[in-house]
Each structure stands twice: as structure tokens, then as C-alpha cells.
Amino acid sequence: MSVLGSFVPCLFFTTIEHRPTIQAQRDDANTKGQTGRRDIYDALLKRLDDTPT
């Protein structure tokens, strides 16, 4: 069996309650110049902000 043949997709769910933690991770990535990581957290934060409550 190949490595890809055993791949199991993973789903990630978050809620507005996790926003402070995600924001802190985003800020940490920005401080460290980790732009790719920062961009991922920016996208998560935008989705949270755009999600109706």
C-alpha cells in the first residue's frame, strides 16, 4: 500500500470561543516572520468573523 493510499482526511472545526487563541497564534507567527503560518491564521480569523452567530 502506498503512503497516499493510507491517507485519512482530517476535518477541522472551530468556533468563536477559540478566536483569542487563534489571534495569539497569528500574532506569534507575525512576530517571528512566519508569513505562511500568519496567512493561515488570518484566513481562519476571517472565516470566524464572517460566520453568522
Side-chain angles (χ1 to χ4, degrees):
M1 177 180 280
S2 73
V3 174
L4 292 177
S6 62
F7 176 75
V8 177
C10 178
L11 298 174
F12 176 77
F13 297 95
T14 192
T15 61
I16 197 68
E17 289 83 13
H18 296 107
R19 194 184 196 297
T21 302
I22 295 169
Q23 183 69 54
Q25 290 292 323
R26 184 258 177 231
D27 294 344
D28 180 67
N30 192 53
T31 299
K32 293 177 179 176
Q34 299 172 337
T35 56
R37 187 171 150 235
R38 180 203 61 210
D39 294 346
I40 290 168
Y41 286 115
D42 278 341
L44 283 171
L45 290 166
K46 181 170 178 4
R47 285 184 182 179
L48 281 175
D49 292 342
D50 291 345
T51 302
T53 56

